[in-house]
Amino acid sequence: MQIIKTAVAAALATLALSASAMTPIQDTELSTVSGQDGVSIAANLNIKMDSFVYTDTDALDANGMGGGSVSFNGIKVQGLIAASIDILSKNSFLAAAGAAGVTNPGTFYNPASGGDVVQIAIPADVQVAAGKLLNISVDAIKMGNNAASFGSVAMNQVDLRGTQVWIWAH
């Protein structure tokens, strides 16, 4: 009886191990698998930054010029953004770059030996509610330690739809 139990346990263990074995899958096979073609990212941004300060570290010259700083205070980025991440083959990348208006990709990418390219794209057809595109603002721009402000800056309804970014190794 003990031998039968041991044999059954060994058979079940073998079956479990073979069922969970990983096997390689080719890109052509992977492309037919639903849900495995790229990655999508969506974000409702609400970024706030107290300040961005630029400081000139040059020593003062004979005229008292040099040094100083400028600060951008109360920086905000708000709105919706959606992007997809895909891997493009060399030929797909060259076609996408050509469609984007690149007339000579050889100036930055080697068409003869270049490989796959990562594409981050903000789809042109993403539907965004009115007033929900990106808004970027700076509440105050100040020089040095002065309390007075030059004013504020705002970029409203920044529409990045249709943007493509490509990344590759070289």
Side-chain angles (χ1 to χ4, degrees):
M1 185 65 158
Q2 183 64 27
I3 294 174
I4 294 174
K5 287 181 183 178
T6 304
V8 169
L12 290 173
T14 303
L15 180 63
L17 287 176
S18 66
S20 66
M22 294 182 65
T23 58
I25 186 168
Q26 300 298 318
D27 284 343
T28 55
E29 295 168 336
L30 184 60
S31 67
T32 64
V33 178
S34 176
Q36 300 298 316
D37 189 21
V39 176
S40 296
I41 300 170
N44 182 16
L45 300 177
N46 190 18
I47 301 168
K48 296 177 181 172
M49 189 180 339
D50 186 44
S51 67
F52 170 81
V53 179
Y54 169 75
T55 303
D56 183 357
T57 58
D58 290 344
L60 294 177
D61 64 16
N63 298 321
M65 303 298 287
S69 65
V70 62
S71 63
F72 299 83
N73 304 307
I75 301 167
K76 297 177 197 86
V77 178
Q78 297 173 312
L80 296 173
I81 189 167
S84 63
I85 301 173
D86 292 297
I87 305 298
L88 302 182
S89 68
K90 174 175 49 176
N91 291 337
S92 294
F93 165 64
L94 292 172
V102 176
T103 58
N104 184 4
T107 58
F108 58 88
Y109 176 86
N110 188 332
S113 63
D116 291 347
V117 174
V118 175
Q119 174 179 275
I120 302 171
I122 300 173
D125 59 355
V126 170
Q127 299 298 311
V128 179
K132 295 297 184 178
L133 292 172
L134 286 180
N135 294 302
I136 304 166
S137 63
V138 177
D139 291 340
I141 303 169
K142 299 179 180 181
M143 296 291 291
N145 295 322
N146 195 327
S149 173
F150 285 104
S152 63
V153 175
M155 293 185 287
N156 297 315
Q157 298 300 289
V158 178
D159 190 348
L160 299 173
R161 293 177 289 184
T163 299
Q164 295 172 311
V165 176
W166 299 298
I167 305 168
W168 65 92
H170 51 91

